[in-house]
């Protein structure tokens, strides 16, 4: 059984694909737009992604580019109504593992997915993140800044990891809470602001402006000079 994400704005088609894959014994999740897909792929692991090209908010090809750039190694099967060879080559060139043009037969889809799931993963996910002089080792649960060890509590570590994987972007409080505080009882704005305050105290240099910025209406984000990820 594989965990598969379907990113498709055609609800009827998505439901049909989910039925096909469900019969094969797979666990299938579905999102209808590119923005939701990016959020899922940042934190939820999948064995395979079925990705439509034309999507609301963010196009499939841009989701693919972002996912691969951030170290995502999950096999991706692109679905599209596009038939031009140039467009297919673009998708494959950006990291798609296979391509299926609509309309298609369910037997072909499940056969291609079976082939992709049998392929060994040759790339390694990014476990060590670097943004400026901040380095985070996700496996070792270790953070340093300027070579000095920074001791963080679990929530502080999770929040910093989120910021580092998405450096240079602002996120509203509700999105940060959804990803770092899965328990509703702990999920409060007060808990977030308290965590950010502690995190700033631990990673910021004394007398310098904080690397965790806050813009009213946009949210919080990590901004470090000479960012590297």
């Amino acid at each position: 059984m594989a965990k598969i994400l379907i990113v498709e704005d055609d609800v009827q088609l998505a439901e049909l694909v989910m039925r096909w894959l469900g019969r094969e014994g797979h666990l299938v999740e579905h999102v209808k737009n590119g923005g939701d897909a990016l959020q899922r792929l940042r934190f939820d692991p999948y064995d395979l992604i079925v990705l439509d090209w034309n999507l609301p908010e963010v196009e499939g090809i841009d989701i693919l580019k972002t996912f691969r750039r951030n170290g995502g190694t999950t096999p991706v099967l692109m679905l599209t109504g596009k038939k031009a060879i140039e467009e297919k080559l673009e998708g494959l060139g950006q990291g798609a593992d296979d391509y299926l043009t609509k309309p298609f037969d369910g037997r072909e889809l499940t056969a291609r997915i079976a082939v992709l799931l049998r392929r060994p993963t040759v790339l390694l996910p990014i476990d060590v993140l670097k943004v400026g002089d901040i380095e985070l080792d996700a496996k070792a649960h270790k953070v340093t800044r300027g070579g000095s060890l920074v001791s963080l509590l679990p929530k502080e570590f999770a929040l910093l990891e989120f910021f580092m994987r998405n450096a240079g972007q602002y996120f509203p409080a509700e999105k940060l809470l959804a990803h770092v505080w899965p328990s509703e009882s702990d999920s409060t704005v007060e808990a977030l602001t308290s965590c950010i305050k502690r995190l700033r105290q631990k990673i910021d240099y004394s007398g310098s402006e904080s690397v965790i910025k806050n813009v009213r209406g946009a949210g919080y984000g990590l901004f470090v000079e000479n960012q590297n990820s």
Side-chain angles (χ1 to χ4, degrees):
M1 181 182 75
K3 184 179 178 182
I4 299 174
L5 177 66
I6 299 175
V7 188
E8 170 62 67
D9 62 331
D10 184 332
V11 176
Q12 287 187 326
L13 176 60
E15 290 177 347
L16 184 60
V17 171
M18 290 176 72
R19 285 200 296 271
W20 288 336
L21 297 180
R23 293 192 192 107
E24 299 292 321
H26 300 304
L27 176 63
V28 188
E29 297 180 7
H30 170 229
V31 294
K32 296 184 288 186
N33 64 71
D36 288 344
L38 285 173
Q39 290 297 320
R40 291 284 185 97
L41 293 175
R42 281 179 181 133
F43 291 98
D44 296 338
Y46 294 95
D47 299 302
L48 187 134
I49 302 161
V50 179
L51 179 63
D52 187 30
W53 185 299
N54 292 316
L55 291 166
E57 296 187 13
V58 184
E59 286 205 331
I61 191 67
D62 294 319
I63 294 171
L64 178 61
K65 290 177 184 177
T66 300
F67 183 61
R68 294 299 188 220
R69 186 172 63 244
N70 291 339
T73 62
T74 304
V76 175
L77 172 64
M78 293 287 294
L79 299 181
T80 180
K82 299 177 183 292
K83 296 182 179 180
I85 186 63
E86 292 81 6
E87 291 162 339
K88 292 185 178 182
L89 290 175
E90 180 184 0
L92 294 171
Q94 293 297 335
D97 296 272
D98 201 356
Y99 214 104
L100 197 55
T101 302
K102 302 174 186 178
F104 51 83
D105 190 290
R107 292 170 295 181
E108 182 179 7
L109 173 68
T110 54
R112 293 197 183 204
I113 285 176
V115 170
L116 290 176
L117 290 173
R118 287 198 297 267
R119 288 185 186 176
T121 300
V122 295
L123 299 174
L124 295 175
I126 297 176
D127 290 316
V128 178
L129 307 173
K130 293 182 180 180
V131 180
D133 63 348
I134 303 174
E135 183 171 315
L136 181 148
D137 188 326
K139 281 191 174 180
H141 204 82
K142 176 182 175 183
V143 174
T144 61
R145 183 165 194 201
S148 298
L149 186 65
V150 179
S151 180
L152 298 179
L153 297 172
K155 284 290 192 296
E156 297 163 1
F157 187 93
L159 185 59
L160 180 61
E161 182 178 358
F162 177 88
F163 281 143
M164 291 182 70
R165 291 190 183 278
N166 303 279
Q169 302 179 60
Y170 287 105
F171 293 91
E174 59 267 22
K175 287 193 177 294
L176 295 174
L177 289 168
H179 288 294
V180 182
W181 278 263
S183 169
E184 290 186 7
S185 62
D186 295 332
S187 183
T188 65
V189 174
E190 290 75 15
L192 174 63
T193 55
S194 177
C195 185
I196 289 176
K197 181 180 179 180
R198 296 194 309 269
L199 188 55
R200 282 171 167 163
Q201 291 172 343
K202 293 180 178 183
I203 66 170
D204 288 339
Y205 290 131
S206 179
S208 298
E209 186 179 357
S210 178
V211 294
I212 300 177
K213 312 296 184 184
N214 180 24
V215 173
R216 184 181 297 274
Y220 296 91
L222 181 70
F223 294 80
V224 184
E225 292 184 4
N226 302 317
Q227 290 179 7
N228 295 301
S229 58

